[in-house]
Amino acid sequence: ATPGDAGSIGAPMPGVVVESKISVGDAVEKGAPMLVLSAMKMETIVNAPCAGVVRAVEVAAGDSVEPGDLIVTIDEAGDEEAA
């Protein structure tokens, strides 16, 4: 993930991707649930830090991630371009 870029979302913790709730092209609102991660039998929901359009989902269910690994890219200007 790129520090300082709100649309570049990194994994908040090490774990395994349990579920993706989004697809490329989806419009998301700030705070919308995007992925579910599991670590040591605890599930954590990764929420969208900004509103926009999903440009890339870099992980799938079963993938292992480390803190900071790029998991989702959101185009913050995407909803303006679609208007």
Side-chain angles (χ1 to χ4, degrees):
T2 306
D5 179 356
S8 176
I9 297 111
M13 62 183 208
V16 176
V17 177
V18 175
E19 177 186 7
S20 175
K21 297 179 176 285
I22 55 168
S23 300
V24 173
D26 286 357
V28 294
E29 294 297 321
K30 182 176 181 176
M34 298 187 305
L35 295 170
V36 179
L37 300 180
S38 175
M40 298 175 60
K41 298 184 182 178
M42 277 191 346
E43 289 190 350
T44 299
I45 296 173
V46 179
N47 297 317
C50 59
V53 175
V54 177
R55 291 295 172 218
V57 180
E58 305 292 344
V59 295
D63 288 353
S64 292
V65 294
E66 293 296 325
D69 285 357
L70 181 64
I71 54 176
V72 176
T73 303
I74 295 176
D75 181 358
E76 293 179 82
D79 53 348
E80 295 168 11
E81 291 172 7

